[in-house]
Amino acid sequence: MEQTNTLLKIENLSVYYGPICAVKKIDLEVKQGEIVAVLGANGAGKSTMVNTIIGLMKAKTGSIQFDGKELTKMRTDQIIQSGISVVPEGRGMLSEMTVMENLQMGVYHHKVDFNSNLEMIFSYFPRLKERQWQKAGTLSGGEQQMLAIGRSIIGGPKLLLMDELSLALSPLYVDNIFKTLVQLRNEKGFTILLAEQNARKALQYSDRAYVLDLGKTVMDGRSSELMDDPFVQKAYLGA
Amino acid sequence: MELFLAQLVSGLSTGGIYALLVLGMNLITLVRNVVHHGFSHTCIFTMAVGWLVYNKTGMPWLAFLAMFAAGVLVTVLSEPLFRPLSKRGADLETIVLAMGIGIILSELIVNFFNSGQVLSFNDEMKIFTTKFQVGAITVSVASIVALVACVVIAIIISTYLFKSSEGRAMRAMAQNLRVAKMLGVPFGKTGVLGFLIAGLLAACIGVICIMCLGYCNAEMGDSFATKAVILMLFAGQGDIKGGILSSILMGVVEAMALAYLPGRWAEAIFYGFMMVIIIIKPNGLFARKAKN
Ligand SMILES: Nc1ncnc2c1ncn2[C@@H]1O[C@H](COP(=O)(O)OP(=O)(O)OP(=O)(O)O)[C@@H](O)[C@H]1O
Ligand SMILES: [Mg+2]
């Protein structure tokens, strides 16, 4: 598991919505094969960071290096093509399309064997196989989250960005989803960056974590250590 | 019975033309979320270009080629105009732009083609001029060929939209542009592709209209556009199948009304019916449930 090559490196990133500063200074690194969590309260800037990585928002300062490329100078479609997939906040269903069509959209940019990857997705999420002809908009919240994850991994990306995976899911279900992620990492070697409000679960299932406060990375470390940190416990774990 | 059959054929082929018009507008709606009022004018413009090239050269195939070039050029060149508006989610401004394009094309036809007179096509351009008798009724081969052509083209484009990866990407853009971008659909390229196909379609419609009608003038752009826009909204903006079905329905009803209703009430009745549908079914006749 001791991998050392860095896949994603964010340095001194700041992002503005007009005059409003949403991200002040993010420094962050994700190594190959890691699960890294970014924790933060509402409005800390997690989604803004995710959207800036994939080029939907433009960085004002700083750099985002991914796999030898500078992402801040690339268009979203080029960034996705270079091997990044997203599970967007709110799941991003194409609700009028079927489960199958949503999965097909997941390989829009990736030259992979759709059918064999489809079998892989169905083996992790058998529920999706049963529902493959159903419209995505009519799936339950949990099923939509499975579809969002399935759609993000079917193209075989190098890096997965997952924004608020646990949102509006029951605690038991959140455990299931995170366990599946860990399994995916162990068996398929995915690298995952999680943006999460649910600090307890995120720390439980990630290797390392960053704490984001008012648009700044204020702490980082091994997840197991952060879980015992008094400041983190007080501010994010409600202890 | 013979009258009914003859009207059915003619209604179906007019309906087929409406269906292609709506299909072209829907293609543009999918990628740029605009109701392209000027699309019908583009079709008429390709006819005018075909007329001009034929009259100058006497070569029908060159004329048809020029029609396709004109359709693609006019449509693709208008994409950069819509792009910034579509990017910032503008609604009303795009209507002004689309109507403006239509008006400019109409004025071009009036000012530069046959000094504003009706453009009549030579038999060589109409291709099929034979008619045959079914009992007391005359049926033209052209309207049957047009009908078949409409069906084939509609099937090809629908299959493209529903089965190919680019077509799926276009529908994804219409459903949720943000998500489509997150999945890597390039906003610029896919949009241009949609406009390009719509441009080819405009020329196909032009050719079919030459076959069926044998003439064109600038005003036809407006009357086609009014019907196409209403049909499109009637079926639900971006609803591919609904647009085709309601267009064919309208073509047939019009033909029947013309044959069986006295006077000029046909259009008033039909538009009245449409108005009611738009009021009670805001998402279109075929929408299963309201989107919120
Ligand atoms: N479109 C926008 N226009 C202006 N300000 C925005 C916009 N989107 C986000 N912001 C602001 O940027 C800041 C960061 O928002 P962001 O969505 O990145 O937070 P977040 O950490 O993802 O929060 P949450 O956990 O609630 O999803 C917030 O203060 C928010 O109000
Ligand atoms: Mg967020």
Side-chain angles (χ1 to χ4, degrees):
Chain A
M1 187 105 303
E2 279 301 297
Q3 293 265 13
T4 45
N5 48 330
T6 300
L7 190 59
L8 180 78
K9 191 178 177 78
I10 302 180
E11 280 174 309
N12 194 27
L13 182 73
S14 71
V15 187
Y16 285 72
Y17 292 96
I20 304 162
C21 179
V23 164
K24 278 201 191 76
K25 186 178 186 305
I26 291 185
D27 294 283
L28 172 156
E29 210 178 292
V30 182
K31 293 191 170 70
Q32 190 91 45
E34 271 190 320
I35 299 182
V36 173
V38 175
L39 313 176
N42 288 110
K46 306 179 295 293
S47 298
T48 306
M49 177 193 79
V50 168
N51 290 335
T52 311
I53 295 175
I54 59 169
L56 285 177
M57 292 289 306
K58 286 289 160 229
K60 176 138 185 183
T61 65
S63 79
I64 304 173
Q65 297 277 336
F66 167 72
D67 204 22
K69 298 183 189 75
E70 176 58 48
L71 299 189
T72 51
K73 294 184 176 60
M74 289 162 67
R75 285 197 317 265
T76 301
D77 57 298
Q78 298 168 324
I79 294 171
I80 303 298
Q81 193 166 23
S82 76
I84 297 184
S85 283
V86 205
V87 174
E89 192 172 44
R91 306 179 189 119
M93 290 292 100
L94 294 165
S95 29
E96 293 295 306
M97 289 190 178
T98 61
V99 168
M100 186 59 97
E101 285 182 302
N102 268 276
L103 291 172
Q104 285 168 329
M105 281 305 296
V107 296
Y108 177 78
H109 248 317
H110 306 279
K111 307 284 163 273
V112 295
D113 179 6
F114 179 74
N115 289 323
S116 65
N117 282 10
L118 187 66
E119 285 312 311
M120 187 264 285
I121 302 295
F122 284 162
S123 71
Y124 282 99
F125 304 107
R127 194 64 166 270
L128 293 181
K129 185 169 191 169
E130 291 165 28
R131 309 256 157 189
Q132 54 185 301
W133 305 117
Q134 192 173 327
K135 289 240 170 96
T138 64
L139 294 175
S140 78
E143 290 163 347
Q144 289 188 355
Q145 198 60 283
M146 290 178 191
L147 178 54
I149 297 174
R151 188 178 66 182
S152 74
I153 60 181
I154 195 164
K158 296 182 190 123
L159 174 67
L160 279 162
L161 304 175
M162 307 207 151
D163 194 356
E164 229 71 80
L165 207 55
S166 65
L167 204 70
L169 298 178
S170 71
L172 188 68
Y173 202 86
V174 172
D175 275 316
N176 270 329
I177 289 269
F178 276 124
K179 277 179 190 152
T180 310
L181 284 194
V182 173
Q183 200 185 346
L184 276 166
R185 188 270 308 270
N186 294 344
E187 293 168 3
K188 304 283 169 195
F190 283 115
T191 307
I192 304 171
L193 181 62
L194 299 166
E196 267 294 337
Q197 266 189 58
N198 188 336
R200 191 178 300 276
K201 295 290 179 202
L203 287 174
Q204 186 181 341
Y205 291 101
S206 59
D207 305 316
R208 286 192 306 116
Y210 291 82
V211 176
L212 196 61
D213 186 41
L214 299 175
K216 278 188 198 156
T217 33
V218 290
M219 273 181 96
D220 70 273
R222 301 210 64 80
S223 300
S224 49
E225 286 161 17
L226 285 180
M227 218 170 334
D228 297 327
D229 184 277
F231 169 75
V232 173
Q233 285 197 339
K234 190 155 180 299
Y236 296 99
L237 300 174
Chain B
M1 189 61 200
E2 281 149 352
L3 176 64
F4 178 81
L5 280 180
Q7 288 307 100
L8 189 65
V9 172
S10 118
L12 285 174
S13 54
T14 329
I17 294 174
Y18 293 157
L20 295 189
L21 283 172
V22 174
L23 194 52
M25 290 179 38
N26 271 332
L27 265 168
I28 290 172
T29 280
L30 289 181
V31 295
R32 287 294 178 265
N33 192 29
V34 298
V35 177
H36 194 357
H37 186 267
F39 181 71
S40 302
H41 303 78
T42 311
C43 301
I44 308 300
F45 184 73
T46 66
M47 292 172 81
V49 169
W51 180 89
L52 188 70
V53 172
Y54 181 80
N55 277 23
K56 295 271 181 247
T57 66
M59 289 190 275
W61 296 110
L62 192 63
F64 289 129
L65 208 66
M67 288 176 71
F68 279 89
V72 168
L73 222 61
V74 169
T75 316
V76 170
L77 289 182
S78 67
E79 191 278 335
L81 305 177
F82 286 111
R83 191 185 292 198
L85 297 180
S86 169
K87 251 187 193 154
R88 64 167 193 257
D91 260 339
L92 290 172
E93 296 95 316
T94 62
I95 296 178
V96 176
L97 184 57
M99 293 185 97
I101 292 173
I103 291 168
I104 291 171
L105 290 173
S106 290
E107 307 268 277
L108 279 175
I109 297 174
V110 169
N111 290 317
F112 291 111
F113 297 83
N114 207 15
S115 35
Q117 318 238 319
V118 171
L119 311 176
S120 301
F121 289 91
N122 186 285
D123 280 354
E124 258 194 307
M125 291 286 289
K126 291 193 240 171
I127 313 174
F128 304 97
T129 47
T130 347
K131 296 183 182 345
F132 58 89
Q133 292 290 126
V134 183
I137 302 293
T138 320
V139 180
S140 73
V141 175
S143 65
I144 292 173
V145 173
L147 178 56
V148 174
C150 289
V151 170
V152 170
I153 294 169
I155 289 176
I156 291 174
I157 293 184
S158 315
T159 310
Y160 179 76
L161 285 174
F162 284 91
K163 297 282 178 258
S164 80
S165 123
E166 291 301 338
R168 205 179 294 120
M170 287 177 196
R171 289 187 297 122
M173 278 176 85
Q175 273 180 45
N176 193 330
L177 184 55
R178 193 179 168 76
V179 171
K181 283 183 181 169
M182 286 177 157
L183 291 167
V185 176
F187 180 77
K189 230 192 286 172
T190 309
V192 171
L193 186 63
F195 272 66
L196 178 87
I197 298 170
L200 291 172
L201 183 56
C204 290
I205 296 169
V207 173
I208 292 172
C209 285
I210 292 178
M211 282 183 355
C212 284
L213 305 171
Y215 74 95
C216 74
N217 57 25
E219 288 83 60
M220 272 165 65
D222 283 328
S223 67
F224 274 3
T226 312
K227 280 183 183 152
V229 168
I230 288 178
L231 278 168
M232 179 191 189
L233 298 178
F234 171 71
Q237 191 182 345
D239 185 333
I240 307 298
K241 288 170 186 156
I244 293 173
L245 290 178
S246 29
S247 302
I248 290 170
L249 183 70
M250 168 136 175
V252 172
V253 169
E254 259 188 4
M256 295 302 169
L258 217 60
Y260 295 106
L261 285 182
R264 294 280 302 152
W265 283 108
E267 300 215 333
I269 290 168
F270 204 89
Y271 283 126
F273 177 56
M274 297 249 197
M275 282 154 61
V276 173
I277 294 287
I278 286 170
I279 291 165
I280 61 176
K281 299 213 68 169
N283 291 314
L285 184 59
F286 298 94
R288 261 162 242 99
K289 65 176 184 355
K291 288 178 208 142
N292 44 2

